[in-house]
Amino acid sequence: MSRQPDRILPGVVLMLAFCVLAPLLDVSAKLAAATLPVAQIVTARFVVQGALMLPVILAMGLSLYMTRRALGLICLRAVFLMLSTFSFVAAISVMPVADALAIAFVEPFILLLLGRILFGDEVGPRRIAASCVGFLGALLVIQPSLAAFGYVALWPLGTAFFFAFYMLSTRQVSGFMHPVAMQFHTSWTGLLMCLPVMILAEGTGWRHFDAIMPQGVEWLWLFGVGFWAALSHMCMTYALKFAPSATLAPLHYLEIVAAVALGYWIFGDFPNALTWAGIAVITASGLYIIHRERLSARASLAKAVST
């Protein structure tokens, strides 16, 4: 059944809300990373997000039961989210949010190629070419960042890689689990994975792992990481209930615009000309792939109807 136009508008509004709220998660993480280790920030995300999602899932009357297969996939999803978040926070602890986010936006290209390799998804030469161009755009952003910040500029590539696997695992779970339940279960399983690492790292002096007791406003930054993560992802979840992903996908690139605005306002960071060129190439390549996906979906639908 096709969605009615009056239901698509709320989906677009919610997706725009995601694009504004998601960078607030990044800003909170960057503020926290100024004094707190990365692993502690990642753990805080799971703690706060899980605590916020629990009353939601109870109010909705969703079942907390999981089959063994579902638990395995949720654990896999939590691992990839944990690694993706760690990589991104490690990056923005040093480099501007917008630069890191632009590099991480090669994730759709990685996802496209992984879908072809792992699931046999049909991917034409034009989309493969667009993916290669998108990676070249990422290099335009990485090159000055690598010179300015060193190997840290490569962390967002880890974010893109792990987030692509996170999306693939989400694809497997979404067929039999409500999105809200999925987020809640991912939060508490991710927390159980983070805690042993934090306990073992205590007192070691490892920069990214040895926890520090937060002081004053640091508690607010840690809460903000989980709060904005929960709120932004809820917006995206419900946006997809109102509007098709093909309609919403192009709007996702507005997240970079919001990240640039917040980065300039709060940290005084503004992308240089080469970074802007890379952002433009990545965005154009991503939008072209979305266009090709739409054409492919229409062709498949037309073929199914004709048969």
Side-chain angles (χ1 to χ4, degrees):
M1 181 180 296
S2 62
R3 294 173 173 84
Q4 297 298 318
D6 60 338
R7 288 179 61 83
I8 291 178
L9 180 58
V12 171
V13 171
L14 285 168
M15 187 63 188
L16 292 175
F18 167 82
C19 293
V20 174
L21 296 176
L24 291 173
L25 154 64
D26 304 332
V27 167
S28 297
K30 185 174 179 66
L31 290 168
T35 51
L36 299 173
V38 175
Q40 188 171 353
I41 298 169
V42 176
T43 304
R45 171 182 180 160
F46 287 123
V47 171
V48 176
Q49 188 168 347
L52 292 175
M53 294 304 298
L54 180 58
V56 175
I57 196 173
L58 293 177
M60 295 179 67
L62 299 175
S63 173
L64 296 177
Y65 173 76
M66 284 192 294
T67 63
R68 184 176 299 178
R69 175 171 178 264
L71 178 60
L73 288 171
I74 284 292
C75 288
L76 194 62
R77 188 173 187 262
V79 167
F80 290 132
L81 181 59
M82 178 175 61
L83 293 174
S84 173
T85 305
F86 184 94
S87 299
F88 195 75
V89 177
I92 63 174
S93 66
V94 175
M95 62 189 299
V97 171
D99 293 35
L101 186 62
I103 298 170
F105 258 81
V106 302
E107 176 267 331
F109 312 137
I110 297 174
L111 185 61
L112 189 75
L113 298 177
L114 288 177
R116 176 69 181 88
I117 295 169
L118 299 178
F119 299 104
D121 294 343
E122 185 177 345
V123 180
R126 293 181 181 180
R127 278 178 283 179
I128 292 176
S131 298
C132 293
V133 172
F135 279 112
L136 292 176
L139 292 178
L140 291 177
V141 183
I142 290 173
Q143 190 277 326
S145 299
L146 198 62
F149 309 112
Y151 76 93
V152 174
L154 300 178
W155 276 112
L157 288 179
T159 299
F161 182 78
F162 292 126
F163 198 78
F165 276 101
Y166 167 79
M167 293 300 293
L168 288 176
S169 59
T170 299
R171 170 177 169 176
Q172 297 300 303
V173 182
S174 60
F176 56 85
M177 184 178 293
H178 192 281
V180 174
M182 192 191 311
Q183 287 196 178
F184 171 72
H185 288 308
T186 300
S187 296
W188 70 259
T189 50
L191 174 60
L192 291 181
M193 293 174 189
C194 288
L195 286 178
V197 176
M198 299 296 295
I199 293 171
L200 291 173
E202 185 177 2
T204 61
W206 294 350
R207 176 189 166 199
H208 288 318
F209 295 92
D210 192 1
I212 300 172
M213 178 59 68
Q215 302 294 326
V217 74
E218 293 170 346
W219 288 105
L220 180 60
W221 306 146
L222 290 178
F223 177 80
V225 171
F227 175 79
W228 296 119
L231 187 58
S232 62
H233 282 268
M234 283 291 287
C235 286
M236 175 179 280
T237 297
Y238 280 94
L240 291 169
K241 287 177 67 67
F242 289 112
S245 58
T247 300
L248 300 178
L251 298 176
H252 194 188
Y253 288 91
L254 293 175
E255 184 181 350
I256 297 180
V257 177
V260 170
L262 287 170
Y264 180 70
W265 179 41
I266 298 174
F267 304 107
D269 297 327
F270 195 77
N272 58 30
L274 198 56
T275 299
W276 274 118
I279 291 174
V281 170
I282 293 169
T283 302
S285 301
L287 292 175
Y288 179 77
I289 287 177
I290 292 168
H291 170 67
R292 295 302 305 176
E293 292 281 357
R294 285 176 172 175
L295 293 180
S296 178
R298 290 174 185 172
S300 299
L301 180 60
K303 184 178 180 181
V305 170
S306 63
T307 55

